[in-house]
Amino acid sequence: MNKIPKDPEHLFYSSWTFSKLMVLFFLLISISYLFYSLRFVSLSYDCNQNQNTHISITHVSDTTTTTSKVVEQERKTPEKQAFEETNISHIVFGIGASAKLWKKRKEYIKLWWKPNEMRGIVWLEQKVKTKSSDKNLLPPLKISEDTSRFKYKNSQGHRSAIRISRIVSETVRLGMKNVRWFVMGDDDTVFVTENLVRVLKKYDHKQFYYIGSSSESHLQNIYFSYNMAYGGGGIAISYPLALALEKIQDRCIQRYPGLYGSDDRIQACMSELGVPLTKERGFHQVSHLFFWVSS
């Protein structure tokens, strides 16, 4: 029997088909292996996620426990008492005085000063004669720093305005503790302290506050400003604002040599700090000689 010769094209086609089948077979195995591997990776990732979540929750739990312990300890600490309302012990007075007028003006201070309850300083330009009987009736006396290095170019005023404008800053530098407010006034300012405390209670002493009032004199307000606290009626400055003022005041004063008094110098520095006047009508300036704070 004669053999039928093989067709070369048929042989090529059969060989190609077999190769394709083999490639397809290995491809399927590879894909199966890939999915199998991805499954394990996914499971491993989920496990890691669960472990991390557990650690995070444990950390939060520990933090909460620690915080609770700290709060509990703070409650037990005598220094950490409930919030205390502002009272007269939280206020420090800075009184601007003149040595030439001290003999008369000190009598005004005696009207409202309570030595065993209040804190404050009378700032003078030079030493004055003191009586032993006055020591228990007046605040301590201190001499202001020399201000001759500052320029003063107002022909109608007096350069003592520079010294008086720096009273709050000099008082801050004394480092008194537990202070919430610095209150500045003149030696002829009479404070009704009960009303003053009631007014300051309304404000958060931890924020920047510059409190006072404009003058009852329309002409003075026109000449100076309606947005300036007049020192004769008293000026209240919160503790953090006083700290900020102390840092910049000397440089600020040098920039305004043409201003008239201490009040407008303080206002200029408050403007540079971006703090507006908070008006309280109880800070009265009723004459050139006698001022007080009332309800």
Side-chain angles (χ1 to χ4, degrees):
M1 187 173 180
N2 296 329
K3 293 181 179 180
I4 300 172
K6 294 181 178 181
D7 186 359
E9 291 183 4
H10 176 73
L11 290 174
F12 178 78
Y13 177 76
S14 299
S15 177
W16 174 245
T17 302
F18 179 78
S19 299
K20 287 174 66 176
L21 287 172
M22 291 300 294
V23 169
L24 182 61
F25 176 76
F26 283 111
L27 183 61
L28 288 173
I29 291 175
S30 300
I31 292 173
S32 300
Y33 180 79
L34 180 61
F35 276 107
Y36 186 75
S37 301
L38 287 174
R39 184 167 176 267
F40 276 99
V41 171
S42 177
L43 287 172
S44 176
Y45 177 78
D46 289 340
C47 286
N48 289 335
Q49 286 291 92
N50 291 335
Q51 288 177 359
N52 290 337
T53 303
H54 175 70
I55 291 170
S56 178
I57 292 171
T58 303
H59 178 70
V60 171
S61 177
D62 291 342
T63 303
T64 305
T65 304
T66 304
T67 304
S68 300
K69 289 180 180 178
V70 171
V71 171
E72 187 177 354
Q73 288 175 356
E74 287 183 349
R75 287 175 181 171
K76 292 179 181 179
T77 305
E79 289 79 12
K80 300 291 183 179
Q81 301 293 339
F83 177 76
E84 185 180 9
E85 280 194 339
T86 296
N87 58 60
I88 195 64
S89 70
H90 297 127
I91 301 171
V92 173
F93 293 88
I95 307 301
S98 166
K100 293 180 180 179
L101 301 172
W102 179 242
K103 187 176 180 179
K104 293 182 178 179
R105 295 290 180 86
K106 67 180 181 181
E107 301 303 321
Y108 290 131
I109 299 175
K110 290 178 184 178
L111 294 174
W112 59 273
W113 184 255
K114 299 174 184 177
N116 298 324
E117 299 178 24
M118 299 180 183
R119 292 187 292 170
I121 303 292
V122 173
W123 294 94
L124 294 152
E125 77 277 18
Q126 63 185 40
K127 290 184 178 180
V128 294
K129 293 181 179 180
T130 57
K131 295 180 180 180
S132 57
S133 58
D134 287 342
K135 289 184 178 180
N136 296 326
L137 301 175
L138 294 168
L141 309 183
K142 286 188 176 294
I143 308 303
S144 300
E145 294 177 4
D146 179 29
T147 58
S148 59
R149 69 184 185 278
F150 295 99
K151 298 176 183 178
Y152 188 86
K153 296 183 178 180
N154 192 300
S155 59
Q156 297 180 332
H158 193 277
R159 65 174 299 110
S160 62
I162 296 174
R163 178 182 70 84
I164 295 172
S165 70
R166 298 176 74 252
I167 282 175
V168 171
S169 292
E170 289 195 52
T171 306
V172 166
R173 291 177 195 135
L174 297 177
M176 296 184 185
K177 304 298 182 182
N178 197 26
V179 180
R180 295 185 181 182
W181 297 93
F182 290 95
V183 174
M184 176 183 170
D186 293 338
D187 52 6
D188 56 357
T189 303
V190 176
F191 290 98
V192 180
T193 53
E194 293 82 2
N195 293 340
L196 176 64
V197 170
R198 188 166 66 249
V199 167
L200 296 182
K201 276 182 182 179
K202 299 190 302 182
Y203 300 98
D204 183 357
H205 61 276
K206 297 178 182 178
Q207 304 299 320
F208 279 15
Y209 276 107
Y210 162 53
I211 302 174
S213 185
S214 52
S215 174
E216 282 85 353
S217 168
H218 181 55
L219 292 176
Q220 282 199 50
N221 291 326
I222 291 175
Y223 186 79
F224 295 106
S225 174
Y226 274 96
N227 295 312
M228 181 183 81
Y230 283 73
I235 302 172
I237 298 174
S238 61
Y239 181 78
L241 179 55
L243 292 181
L245 177 65
E246 187 273 332
K247 290 179 181 178
I248 63 105
Q249 190 174 27
D250 286 354
R251 297 192 304 274
C252 172
I253 289 173
Q254 291 283 36
R255 288 190 280 273
Y256 304 100
L259 295 179
Y260 175 83
S262 59
D263 308 340
D264 43 0
R265 279 176 169 76
I266 292 174
Q267 186 205 22
C269 297
M270 291 300 179
S271 296
E272 289 195 0
L273 290 170
V275 182
L277 173 65
T278 298
K279 289 189 177 181
E280 278 288 346
R281 294 182 180 180
F283 290 78
H284 297 297
Q285 181 192 24
V286 296
S287 73
H288 291 290
L289 297 176
F290 193 72
F291 313 95
W292 74 89
V293 174
S294 64
S295 59

